[in-house]
Structures are given as structure tokens and as C-alpha cells.
Amino acid sequence: MIQITPQMRVLVAIDPVDFRKGIDGLARVARDELSSDPFAGWVFVFINRRRTGIKLLVYDGQGFWLALKRLSRGKFRHWPSGPAKTGRILEAHAVHVLLSGGDFEAAQGAPTWRSVAP
């Protein structure tokens, strides 16, 4: 599995995408439909129409990484919802639950940042 750290910013596409798209096609979806810069270092998460596969796209400063997870059985039942053609920002712990096929909204994690000043 790809390591997603709490410092990484993750944007999940609400609408399914055509999984025939490769790096360039998904980068275009990130730019045009999600209104995000694919070169900004964000992790972009996409799902296919049948909800059996997830693709992750990230730029690391030298090039793009594209990862695919396809379930051997079943479907990803829990997926973010919202207005069409938008994305949803998720915390790292929620993405790990999502990639495992779990309910990311039921997963409670600690806040990623807390002020230490009184």
C-alpha cells in the first residue's frame, strides 16, 4: 500500500471516472473538474463506475505516481458524496479506512493539529 501521511493533502473525486484514463487524463480531471493543480503535491483519489477499483494520483516534484487498487471480490460501499463535479478533502486516517473498504465517516481520528499554547 502507498503510505499516506497526516501531512499529505488528499482530495477525493465524488463522481466516478473512466479507468481507461491514465496519468494525463486523471491530471486533467483534477485540473478541470476538481479545480485543483495536479502539480501541487495533493493526493487525488478516483473510483470507477462499478466501484470495484480506486486510483491514486500524486505528483512528487519529479513526476507522477499512479496507483490502482482493485478489489478481488465485492465493491467499495462507502464513498464521499456531495455536489456533482466536486471533490472532498479527507484526512489521512479516513483515506486509509476508505482504501480498506470501510466507512470512513464512522472512523474517528485525532485532530491533525492542536495548538499547544494555553
Coordinates of all heavy atoms in Angstrom, one line a residue, residues 4 15-16 38-39 52 56 60 64-65 69 72-73 75 77 79 89-90 92 99 102 107 116:
I4 N 0.3 7.1 3.0 CA -0.3 8.4 3.1 C -0.1 9.0 4.5 O -0.6 8.4 5.4 CB -1.8 8.4 2.7 CG1 -1.9 7.8 1.3 CG2 -2.4 9.7 2.8 CD1 -3.3 7.6 0.8
D15 N -17.5 12.0 -8.2 CA -18.0 11.3 -9.4 C -17.0 10.2 -9.8 O -15.8 10.5 -9.8 CB -18.3 12.2 -10.5 CG -19.5 13.2 -10.3 OD1 -20.3 12.8 -9.4 OD2 -19.6 14.2 -11.0
P16 N -17.5 9.1 -10.3 CA -16.7 8.1 -10.9 C -16.0 8.6 -12.1 O -16.5 9.4 -12.8 CB -17.6 6.9 -11.2 CG -18.9 7.2 -10.5 CD -18.9 8.7 -10.3
P38 N -2.8 19.7 -10.4 CA -2.2 18.3 -10.2 C -0.8 18.3 -9.8 O -0.3 17.3 -9.3 CB -2.5 17.7 -11.6 CG -2.7 18.8 -12.5 CD -3.2 19.9 -11.8
F39 N -0.1 19.5 -10.0 CA 1.4 19.6 -9.7 C 1.6 20.1 -8.2 O 2.7 20.3 -7.9 CB 2.1 20.5 -10.7 CG 2.1 19.9 -12.1 CD1 1.2 20.3 -13.0 CD2 3.1 19.0 -12.4 CE1 1.2 19.8 -14.3 CE2 3.1 18.4 -13.7 CZ 2.1 18.9 -14.6
T52 N -15.4 -1.0 -8.1 CA -14.5 -2.1 -7.7 C -13.0 -1.7 -7.7 O -12.2 -2.5 -7.3 CB -14.7 -3.2 -8.8 OG1 -14.4 -2.7 -10.1 CG2 -16.1 -3.8 -8.7
L56 N -5.1 6.3 -7.3 CA -4.5 7.4 -6.6 C -3.5 8.1 -7.5 O -2.7 7.3 -8.1 CB -3.8 7.0 -5.3 CG -4.7 6.7 -4.1 CD1 -5.3 5.3 -4.3 CD2 -3.8 6.7 -2.9
D60 N 5.2 14.1 -7.2 CA 6.2 14.1 -6.1 C 7.3 15.1 -6.3 O 8.3 15.2 -5.6 CB 6.8 12.8 -5.8 CG 7.7 12.3 -7.0 OD1 7.9 13.0 -8.0 OD2 8.2 11.1 -6.8
F64 N 4.8 12.0 -11.8 CA 3.6 11.5 -11.2 C 3.7 10.0 -10.8 O 4.4 9.2 -11.5 CB 2.4 11.6 -12.3 CG 1.9 13.0 -12.4 CD1 2.3 13.8 -13.5 CD2 1.0 13.5 -11.5 CE1 1.8 15.1 -13.6 CE2 0.5 14.8 -11.6 CZ 0.9 15.6 -12.7
W65 N 3.0 9.7 -9.7 CA 2.8 8.3 -9.3 C 1.3 8.0 -9.5 O 0.4 8.8 -9.2 CB 3.1 8.1 -7.8 CG 4.5 8.2 -7.5 CD1 5.3 9.3 -7.2 CD2 5.4 7.1 -7.5 NE1 6.6 8.9 -6.9 CE2 6.7 7.6 -7.1 CE3 5.3 5.7 -7.7 CZ2 7.8 6.8 -6.9 CZ3 6.4 4.9 -7.6 CH2 7.6 5.4 -7.2
K69 N -5.9 0.2 -6.9 CA -6.4 -0.9 -6.1 C -7.7 -1.4 -6.7 O -8.6 -0.7 -6.8 CB -6.5 -0.5 -4.6 CG -7.1 -1.7 -3.8 CD -7.1 -1.4 -2.3 CE -7.5 -2.6 -1.6 NZ -7.4 -2.4 -0.1
S72 N -10.7 -7.9 -5.3 CA -10.9 -9.2 -6.0 C -12.4 -9.7 -5.8 O -12.9 -10.5 -6.5 CB -10.0 -10.2 -5.4 OG -10.1 -10.3 -4.0
R73 N -13.0 -9.1 -4.8 CA -14.4 -9.5 -4.5 C -15.1 -8.3 -3.9 O -14.6 -7.6 -3.1 CB -14.4 -10.7 -3.5 CG -15.6 -11.5 -3.6 CD -15.6 -12.7 -2.6 NE -14.3 -13.4 -2.6 CZ -13.9 -14.2 -1.6 NH1 -14.6 -14.3 -0.6 NH2 -12.7 -14.8 -1.7
K75 N -17.4 -4.6 -3.6 CA -17.4 -3.3 -4.1 C -17.0 -2.3 -2.9 O -17.2 -2.7 -1.7 CB -18.7 -2.8 -4.7 CG -19.1 -3.6 -5.9 CD -20.4 -3.1 -6.4 CE -20.8 -3.9 -7.6 NZ -21.5 -3.2 -8.6
R77 N -18.3 0.2 -0.8 CA -19.7 0.6 -0.5 C -19.7 2.0 0.0 O -20.7 2.7 -0.1 CB -20.3 -0.3 0.5 CG -20.5 -1.7 -0.1 CD -21.1 -2.6 1.0 NE -20.1 -3.0 1.9 CZ -20.3 -3.1 3.2 NH1 -21.4 -2.8 3.8 NH2 -19.3 -3.4 4.0
W79 N -18.4 5.8 -0.1 CA -17.7 6.8 -0.9 C -18.3 8.2 -0.6 O -19.5 8.3 -0.4 CB -17.9 6.5 -2.4 CG -16.9 7.2 -3.3 CD1 -17.2 8.3 -4.1 CD2 -15.5 6.9 -3.4 NE1 -16.0 8.7 -4.7 CE2 -15.0 7.9 -4.3 CE3 -14.7 6.0 -2.8 CZ2 -13.6 7.9 -4.6 CZ3 -13.3 6.0 -3.1 CH2 -12.8 6.9 -4.0
I89 N -12.2 16.9 0.6 CA -10.9 16.7 1.2 C -11.1 15.8 2.4 O -12.0 15.9 3.2 CB -10.4 18.1 1.8 CG1 -10.2 19.0 0.6 CG2 -9.2 18.0 2.6 CD1 -9.9 20.5 0.9
L90 N -10.2 14.8 2.5 CA -10.2 13.8 3.6 C -8.9 13.8 4.3 O -7.8 14.2 3.8 CB -10.5 12.4 3.1 CG -11.8 12.1 2.5 CD1 -11.9 10.6 2.1 CD2 -12.9 12.4 3.5
A92 N -5.8 11.8 6.4 CA -5.1 10.6 6.1 C -5.7 9.4 6.7 O -5.9 8.3 6.0 CB -3.7 10.7 6.6
L99 N -9.7 3.2 1.6 CA -8.9 2.2 0.8 C -9.1 0.8 1.3 O -9.0 -0.2 0.5 CB -7.5 2.6 0.8 CG -7.1 3.8 0.0 CD1 -5.6 4.2 0.2 CD2 -7.5 3.8 -1.4
G102 N -13.8 0.4 4.2 CA -14.6 0.7 5.4 C -15.3 2.0 5.2 O -15.2 2.7 4.3
A107 N -15.1 6.4 11.1 CA -13.8 6.4 11.7 C -13.5 7.7 12.4 O -13.5 8.7 11.7 CB -12.8 6.0 10.6
V116 N -0.7 24.2 21.1 CA -0.1 23.8 22.4 C -0.1 25.1 23.3 O 0.3 24.9 24.5 CB 1.3 23.3 22.2 CG1 1.3 21.9 21.6 CG2 2.2 24.2 21.5

